[in-house]
Amino acid sequence: MTLMLPAVPPTARSITGVAQDLLDAIGSPRDADPPVNRGEAEPLPAVRSAVLVVIDGLGAAQLRAHAGHARTLASAMTKRDVAFSVFPSTTASALTSLVTGVAPGRHGLVGYRVLDRERGRLVNQLSGWEQERIDPASWQREPTVFERARALGHPVHAVGLPAYARSGFSAATLRGADFHAAKSGADRVALALGLAEENDGALVYCYLPEADKAGHRDGVASAEWVAALEDIDAALSVPVPRGVGVLVTADHGMVDVPRHRHLIVDESGPMRDGVAHIGGEPRMLHVYLDDPDRLGSARSAWAAGTEGAADVLTRDEAIAGGLFGAEVTADAAARIGDLVIPARGTWALYDGAAEDQKAQDMVGQHGSLTPEELRVPLLRMGAFAR
């Protein structure tokens, strides 16, 4: 089976370029080793302070399809105001790439659930840090844009939900920023803009997960998702303080997966032979084998069992193909499955041995290589507006 990679123009923006662009805009020198795949985008203008707003789960296709419900965001978006996310197109991987400026192959968060080989256990990269006693500083070693900005003398702030204040994922991705909590999206945006106005030279991060949550629960075609988008758009419709640049983007997009596109991996079928763990998520599985010598037979079984629904690659093929970025560290490679299985179209793959019904109840999903998942808005507002 041949993997059909999405066509990415050579001049396309990547979300890995956002961190350095923001540092440039607040007056910090460019690194000697700039982020890969920055594209030929027009540089951001110099500003008094900068706000990065991340709308979790809002793909460019979804924004365009619902432009009438997001007039502020849609009016700021032209054909060129788009960037590509990373693979896997999932929150843990993509948010980390946004704030470090490197692909998952370098920062090491290569999926939603990955294998900690020392313990022989799957680790949820969003919520499993404390339970599995994972040290954020050693698991994710890349410096964040917040650490870099603070080292250069800039005030640095992150605004999110109260529940994220002391999470392991926040410790891995928001290092260097002072965390501020607010419950509503409108309050988070207002707080972020206020911090930017009050602190010259500040870099402020504002996280809005509401669209992603609504999409998982009800789908991006639902009234609930549209309502979440309208609330986000209203929150971003407020005046931006003079001299403050606002860059609005997302970590990934989303597709709705209908029930008839669920492929269940039978716990007693041939696809389970030699499998020790199934990680990742339904749109992008990491399959870990109990014996590497069974790689050939396992690949054949998974290719036959997922024909038309997914692509099946070995770890070496996925790395050589650049799916996880141009560089893959030894730590990151160890966390990648022996088989890497991105879903096609609107399919999703589920482990029949798992007891978690919640994943099968999710309508909107992401993680794979479709344009709907990979292409995200990259909008300039405030002092960044063209």
Side-chain angles (χ1 to χ4, degrees):
M1 184 178 294
T2 302
L3 176 66
M4 299 298 293
L5 289 172
V8 179
T11 58
R13 289 297 314 275
S14 168
I15 62 172
T16 58
V18 167
Q20 185 61 52
D21 284 351
L22 291 167
L23 285 179
D24 289 347
I26 58 175
S28 295
R30 176 164 294 280
D31 289 348
D33 180 21
V36 296
N37 201 22
R38 182 179 181 271
E40 296 179 358
E42 175 187 347
L44 295 173
V47 292
R48 182 161 64 92
S49 56
V51 178
L52 172 62
V53 177
V54 178
I55 305 173
D56 197 323
L58 180 62
Q62 294 91 62
L63 177 55
R64 289 190 173 117
H66 298 90
H69 297 276
R71 294 183 181 180
T72 297
L73 293 171
S75 66
M77 187 176 185
T78 68
K79 289 183 178 180
R80 58 181 171 173
D81 294 318
V82 172
F84 280 81
S85 185
V86 295
F87 177 83
S89 53
T90 194
T91 299
S93 302
L95 276 186
T96 310
S97 287
L98 262 171
V99 300
T100 60
V102 300
R106 272 186 59 177
H107 63 61
L109 275 68
V110 294
Y112 175 61
R113 289 183 305 154
V114 301
L115 183 63
D116 177 359
R117 293 187 184 271
E118 289 187 6
R119 295 178 174 86
R121 298 181 62 166
L122 292 172
V123 179
N124 185 310
Q125 299 290 271
L126 290 178
S127 61
W129 300 77
E130 295 81 8
Q131 178 181 344
E132 300 300 335
R133 298 180 181 179
I134 299 297
D135 175 26
S138 59
W139 190 268
Q140 196 298 95
R141 294 191 176 96
E142 289 293 322
T144 71
V145 65
F146 313 114
E147 291 175 300
R148 291 156 61 194
R150 185 174 290 277
L152 293 165
H154 296 282
V156 187
H157 303 277
V159 181
L161 287 167
Y164 303 154
R166 294 180 177 83
S167 74
F169 183 65
S170 292
T173 57
L174 301 181
R175 288 196 300 260
D178 295 329
F179 190 91
H180 307 262
K183 290 185 178 181
S184 76
D187 286 346
R188 267 171 268 137
V189 170
L191 179 54
L193 293 176
L195 288 166
E197 183 178 25
E198 295 163 8
N199 297 276
D200 285 350
L203 175 61
V204 183
Y205 171 88
C206 180
Y207 180 58
L208 304 175
E210 285 80 3
D212 186 71
K213 292 177 182 293
H216 281 310
R217 185 179 60 246
D218 301 300
V220 296
S222 67
E224 291 82 0
W225 187 87
V226 169
L229 178 63
E230 289 176 339
D231 288 344
I232 291 169
D233 193 70
L236 290 166
S237 299
V238 299
V240 177
R242 184 181 298 274
V244 173
V246 178
L247 193 65
V248 181
T249 190
D251 49 353
H252 54 74
M254 188 174 285
V255 297
D256 285 352
V257 176
R259 282 281 178 176
H260 69 275
R261 295 283 186 173
H262 289 193
L263 191 157
I264 310 299
V265 180
D266 188 344
E267 60 182 309
S268 60
M271 293 167 69
R272 292 289 310 196
D273 289 348
V275 173
H277 306 278
I278 297 179
E281 60 193 300
R283 291 283 299 162
M284 211 306 287
L285 298 183
H286 287 285
V287 177
Y288 304 93
L289 304 179
D290 57 16
D291 182 353
D293 290 338
R294 305 183 72 165
L295 181 61
S297 60
R299 181 183 183 179
S300 296
W302 279 83
T306 63
E307 180 64 41
D311 293 293
V312 179
L313 298 92
T314 66
R315 179 193 298 113
D316 289 346
E317 289 171 338
I319 292 174
L323 283 184
F324 296 95
E327 177 185 350
V328 177
T329 68
D331 285 343
R335 299 169 194 165
I336 296 172
D338 296 285
L339 295 176
V340 175
I341 305 180
R344 291 183 173 183
T346 57
W347 285 94
L349 285 65
Y350 300 92
D351 180 5
E355 298 179 357
D356 185 9
Q357 181 65 31
K358 184 178 179 181
Q360 292 189 45
D361 291 336
M362 288 184 177
V363 181
Q365 300 202 35
H366 50 79
S368 193
L369 290 161
T370 66
E372 291 81 6
E373 293 160 287
L374 285 179
R375 290 170 63 92
V376 298
L378 188 62
L379 313 180
R380 302 178 179 211
M381 302 173 71
F384 285 151
R386 292 184 178 90

